[in-house]
Amino acid sequence: MLEITRRYDVTAGENTDNPFLLGAFAPNRVEYTADTASLRVIGEIPRDLHGIFVRNTHNQVHTPMGVYHPFDGDGMLHAVHFENGRATYRNRFIRTTGFLAEQAAGKSLWPGLLQPDLGSYRGWGAMGAMKDNAGTDVIGHAGRLLASMSQGSEPWRLDPITLETLGPDANWARQVPDGVSAHYKVDPVTGEMMFFNYPERWPYMHYGVVNRNNELVHYVPIELPGARWPHDLGITQNYTILHDLPLFFDPEELKSGKHRLVFNRDLPARFGIIPRHGDNTQVRWFEATPCYVLHLTNCYEVGDEVVMDGCIMPDYHPVPVNAAGNVYDRIKANLDKHRNKTHMHRWRFNLRTGKTTEQYLDDEVTEFPICSNDYVGRPYRYSYNVLYQPGEWLFSGVKRFDLDTGATARHEYGPGRFGSEPQMARRVGAVHEDDGYLISMVADMNADASEIVILDAANIDREPLARILLPERMSIGTHACWVEGDRIHGEHRPPSSVISSTGS
């Protein structure tokens, strides 16, 4: 089966020299449904691989308003449903309010991240000016997918099988007027989902909890010193870790509506540890090395300590949009992790003494670290991180860290081949943490094609177990998720599926 569901009139990428609308970033215009009876499979799809791999992409439809940033594009999900050695692929636009309005108008109505002042319509996001593209993050929770953009948007729900957009969450979207930022986390044992947002007005952050039945059971203000630009949060069995980092918009310029990011090297990074259902009065703030943090691998508790692992940028150098030179080179410079030396780091926050200790875990440039869903918030052993092509916003491979022994392994996709944020899918009946598969969507620019690559998670340096060739080359994106087969329809997994029963 290979069906074309819909074709779109895509004008983005025409008559432009913007590299983020060309090549690996060129937008797609066709929505497909295809299965492995119609797609070429090299190797063999494991029969004990059951679930859905979903990747979000920024897939701009209309000629952009102002300078286009690769985080501005319309959200499009790509999903592969695995079961019994077969797979079905679908890609669909996330039909947000902004997407539908621009479809009706036949043109862009909202500006992007770099020029919010061009906007004339009500917007979304922390700056209140952007289109709600829902193109950054995606996760499975309570029988639905949840997609959003990083700066904060409506909590867009989609059917995990069909990718039909179901609208902002019917249960609780109206109760969170500042929306949800990317990087919500789901506790694999309780089924609760923790999230945050960060508006440019007091209290500058909110924190919430949605239970396994998709009910908003907790939503509280978190007071920060001013408007901030955080990116991620962490969870443990009992706590959530919120970020107040020294990279934020210049406060004086912000008063006149100007958005210029400044890294304040004289301010410490602050991490707020709050009981899962706690409030602002219960946050304990820990100071650490001045830095910026995009993505965490995992957090967990050991004795009196909360441990947080992630990728640190200790000396971030933002390039102003209005600097001299080619604007696209400046965008690349801001995104180039080799320029800002992002690497694995560990923070330990002692809840008894109030002290923070830190250590480097590795000196190689990596980012987008992930671990198995089953170990989120609990002690874990393996982190899988993206490798970067220097000077580009392109993922050249993946590196596996054994955090118990210090051993590492890597898989590089090869020249002209660029992957996605990987996902670790434990096999049905898995016993050990790495007993499963690492999945990535790879764009092969040599063949102008895309494929799903399945690796042995315990031996990623070996050849792929399977490669599934997709109908066409799919645009480069950011985040992905894995939805286990027994979580597709809700957070009601049998006790034997979670780590408290299976061990490590």
Side-chain angles (χ1 to χ4, degrees), residues 403-436:
L403 299 173
D404 283 359
T405 67
T408 64
R410 62 202 299 120
H411 182 92
E412 299 195 33
Y413 302 120
R417 290 168 55 85
F418 308 108
S420 65
E421 178 185 54
Q423 288 296 298
M424 197 284 170
R426 296 180 80 212
R427 70 176 182 86
V428 176
V431 175
H432 302 295
E433 181 181 335
D434 62 347
D435 190 1

Side-chain angles (χ1 to χ4, degrees), residues 35-43 45 451-452 467-470:
D35 61 19
T36 43
S38 59
L39 300 174
R40 184 186 177 199
V41 179
I42 301 171
I45 299 171
E451 60 193 57
I452 298 296
R467 295 165 53 203
I468 305 170
L469 277 59
L470 300 181

Side-chain angles (χ1 to χ4, degrees), residues 1-8 29-34 89-93 95 162-163:
M1 171 188 64
L2 175 59
E3 298 177 354
I4 293 177
T5 304
R6 186 167 179 176
R7 294 182 186 270
Y8 289 82
R29 63 181 67 234
V30 179
E31 293 179 340
Y32 294 97
T33 301
Y89 167 79
R90 290 178 176 85
N91 65 310
R92 300 289 186 272
F93 279 104
R95 299 173 68 82
T162 67
L163 299 188

Side-chain angles (χ1 to χ4, degrees), residues 8-209:
Y8 289 82
D9 182 15
V10 174
T11 58
E14 297 179 355
N15 303 315
T16 183
D17 60 349
N18 188 327
F20 298 108
L21 289 170
L22 302 170
F25 298 89
N28 301 108
R29 63 181 67 234
V30 179
E31 293 179 340
Y32 294 97
T33 301
D35 61 19
T36 43
S38 59
L39 300 174
R40 184 186 177 199
V41 179
I42 301 171
E44 185 174 349
I45 299 171
R47 296 188 63 83
D48 55 6
L49 176 60
H50 182 205
I52 307 175
F53 171 81
V54 190
R55 184 188 187 184
N56 207 343
T57 60
H58 289 97
N59 196 96
Q60 182 73 6
V61 174
H62 298 294
T63 301
M65 179 185 295
V67 176
Y68 177 81
H69 187 281
F71 299 162
D72 293 342
D74 301 290
M76 175 185 274
L77 296 184
H78 302 260
V80 186
H81 185 184
F82 297 95
E83 190 170 8
N84 295 323
R86 298 187 297 272
T88 301
Y89 167 79
R90 290 178 176 85
N91 65 310
R92 300 289 186 272
F93 279 104
I94 304 171
R95 299 173 68 82
T96 68
T97 303
F99 175 83
L100 293 174
E102 291 189 340
Q103 281 291 296
K107 64 179 182 179
S108 290
L109 300 175
W110 283 273
L113 186 64
L114 298 181
Q115 294 180 296
D117 54 302
L118 296 180
S120 57
Y121 292 90
R122 175 191 177 274
W124 291 267
M127 295 186 289
M130 298 174 64
K131 173 174 58 181
D132 183 355
N133 61 48
T136 304
D137 206 3
V138 62
I139 202 169
H141 178 251
R144 296 287 186 265
L145 298 178
L146 174 67
S148 71
M149 68 177 180
S150 178
Q151 296 78 20
S153 65
E154 302 262 29
W156 290 96
R157 290 291 193 176
L158 300 97
D159 185 285
I161 301 292
T162 67
L163 299 188
E164 175 190 0
T165 302
L166 304 174
D169 191 281
N171 285 9
W172 50 271
R174 294 179 183 273
Q175 300 176 56
V176 290
D178 291 301
V180 296
S181 170
H183 306 306
Y184 11 78
K185 298 292 195 300
V186 174
D187 185 318
V189 177
T190 68
E192 292 175 301
M193 181 184 76
M194 279 53 72
F195 71 94
F196 72 108
N197 58 42
Y198 53 102
E200 284 186 354
R201 61 183 182 280
W202 187 90
Y204 305 112
M205 182 179 282
H206 302 89
Y207 161 66
V209 181

